[in-house]
Amino acid sequence: MKMPRAVRHSVRAAVPLAFLIASLTIAFYATAFVYQRTGRPSALVVQLVNTLLGMIIAVLFGVIAGVLFRLRSRGPFAPIIDALERIAKGDFSTRLDNRHAKHGAVGELVHTVNNMALKLDQMEKMRQEFISDVSHEIQSPLTSIRGFACALQQDNLSVEDRRHYLDIIAAESTRLSKLSANLLKLASLESEQVKFEPKPYRLDTQMRSLILACEPQWAGKRLEMDATLDEASITADEDLLSQVWINLIHNSIKYTPEGGCVRVDLHRRADRLEVSIADTGIGIALEDQPHIFERFYKADKSRRASEGGNGLGLSIAKKVVEMHGGSIAVQSQPGAGATFVVKLPA
């Protein structure tokens, strides 16, 4: 059945618009990927760059589509054109069968299209997972704040209940503030826009000061705090490394029951400095250990949520340590505590 002329004209008119939308979408993801590493400029600059890049991609798509259309009758290019059309519409799961095009220009083109689709698919999944994780982390404290704010509107509340609800609202607001600060810190670290100012200083002095600063926390739980700190100098960013030590020490205190022990060791090992922070806490399951440095990952979801964690602290620690050319790892058994080991160049 022949398509009516009016319909054919509508379809032809819609094709350039579809290419333009697809090009702007690709430009958005491409610039977002670049901004993660170089820093995000102003909204106006972002809009101008995305628009210009989208127009350039649209023109390139048009040229490529025109060339491929003329070669459509030559067999191997037909599935490539179909795949590009699907990718342009946002179907990044598209893959071409390269069993019959392993060699020559067609094989290279098939391989390139598959790689492009794979990378776009991975970026889209990462974007969706990140949005889902952030939404989940924000929703929990917002639900608590909204619920207890509504409860405060009751006229028959006692003074104790009212104070208790206000304390919860304040705690959840602090939790939101920490989440926002950690997200900004992690974004700046990943984009390498954070100020990095290494200088020589005494690492043992820094760690001794931080342990003493945490005394109200470990003394309040009647924990035994042992520290063996060799005299050691290091050239590093003192402020950034302090976030690593504070995070690891706080985690050890948080997950160690009353009367337990936290041990901090600093030793020089040949050409590196090795810091270990061990506790006698709840430990980490073996299946969780490969993932604990991932963003938003929570090995103990119920307990971490109740204590205000957001699963970003260890991600930040890992990024800071790697910026200094070091490594961080964990050794743990469920119920037998955990030991975090940080190795830094001496």
Side-chain angles (χ1 to χ4, degrees):
M1 181 176 179
K2 189 175 181 180
M3 184 181 297
R5 181 178 297 178
V7 175
R8 291 201 303 271
H9 286 312
S10 299
V11 171
R12 291 171 183 170
V15 170
L17 180 60
F19 269 113
L20 180 60
I21 294 174
S23 301
L24 292 174
T25 301
I26 294 174
F28 171 80
Y29 284 116
T31 54
F33 181 79
V34 172
Y35 294 151
Q36 284 182 349
R37 287 157 174 76
T38 61
R40 188 177 183 86
S42 66
L44 177 60
V45 174
V46 170
Q47 184 64 37
L48 291 174
V49 171
N50 285 351
T51 302
L52 180 59
L53 183 58
M55 296 298 292
I56 294 173
I57 293 174
V59 172
L60 291 176
F61 264 136
V63 173
I64 294 173
V67 173
L68 294 180
F69 181 79
R70 288 193 295 271
L71 298 172
R72 193 181 186 99
S73 60
R74 296 179 60 181
F77 290 99
I80 297 176
I81 296 173
D82 293 337
L84 288 174
E85 290 175 349
R86 292 197 298 273
I87 293 172
K89 293 176 182 178
D91 182 8
F92 301 137
S93 63
T94 299
R95 299 292 184 274
L96 285 166
D97 186 355
N98 59 1
R99 289 179 300 176
H100 305 297
K102 295 182 179 180
H103 306 289
V106 175
E108 292 180 4
L109 185 56
V110 168
H111 182 69
T112 300
V113 171
N114 282 341
N115 278 345
M116 178 182 69
L118 177 61
K119 293 184 182 300
L120 289 172
D121 193 27
Q122 291 174 342
M123 291 173 60
E124 176 63 15
K125 289 178 180 178
M126 290 174 60
R127 184 186 70 85
Q128 292 177 357
E129 290 175 0
F130 182 77
I131 292 175
S132 176
D133 289 336
V134 172
S135 300
H136 175 75
E137 290 295 331
I138 291 176
Q139 188 61 37
S140 180
L142 283 180
T143 300
S144 296
I145 292 172
R146 182 170 58 249
F148 286 106
C150 292
L152 285 172
Q153 296 176 351
Q154 301 177 18
D155 297 329
N156 58 347
L157 280 179
S158 65
V159 175
E160 291 77 11
D161 286 341
R162 192 176 299 274
R163 184 178 295 111
H164 177 62
Y165 293 166
L166 288 172
D167 288 341
I168 293 176
I169 291 175
E172 292 298 277
S173 299
T174 301
R175 182 179 166 190
L176 273 176
S177 178
K178 289 181 178 178
L179 173 61
S180 174
N182 282 338
L183 282 171
L184 291 174
K185 172 62 69 176
L186 190 59
S188 63
L189 289 171
E190 290 185 342
S191 65
E192 299 180 357
Q193 292 299 304
V194 68
K195 184 181 292 186
F196 184 60
E197 298 179 340
K199 61 181 180 181
Y201 72 94
R202 285 276 297 276
L203 182 58
D204 56 304
T205 302
Q206 178 191 37
M207 300 202 67
R208 188 173 291 107
S209 299
L210 294 175
I211 292 171
L212 291 175
C214 296
E215 184 175 1
Q217 286 77 40
W218 51 265
K221 296 182 69 173
R222 293 180 286 114
L223 301 180
E224 180 183 352
M225 177 64 73
D226 292 334
T228 302
L229 306 174
D230 293 348
E231 182 176 323
S233 296
I234 190 172
T235 299
D237 190 304
E238 188 171 0
D239 291 336
L240 287 177
L241 274 187
S242 70
Q243 296 181 39
V244 176
W245 314 133
I246 290 173
N247 178 275
L248 295 178
I249 293 172
H250 279 186
N251 278 355
S252 294
I253 295 172
K254 183 190 300 183
Y255 298 120
T256 301
E258 289 196 13
C261 177
V262 174
R263 181 173 183 82
V264 180
D265 292 314
L266 166 59
H267 299 294
R268 178 180 290 275
R269 309 289 190 192
D271 61 344
R272 70 179 187 274
L273 299 176
E274 186 172 297
V275 177
S276 65
I277 300 175
D279 61 62
T280 56
I282 60 176
I284 304 170
L286 293 177
E287 62 268 21
D288 290 321
Q289 292 179 27
H291 306 287
I292 61 171
F293 296 106
E294 298 174 4
R295 291 182 300 186
F296 296 108
Y297 191 84
K298 299 178 182 179
D300 187 348
K301 297 178 176 58
S302 59
R303 186 168 173 173
R304 188 79 64 90
S306 66
E307 298 186 7
N310 51 50
L312 291 176
L314 290 178
S315 296
I316 293 174
K318 184 175 187 292
K319 187 64 180 179
V320 171
V321 170
E322 289 177 346
M323 287 176 63
H324 287 83
S327 64
I328 182 171
V330 64
Q331 304 165 359
S332 179
Q333 291 288 339
T339 300
F340 284 86
V341 180
V342 177
K343 299 177 182 179
L344 294 167

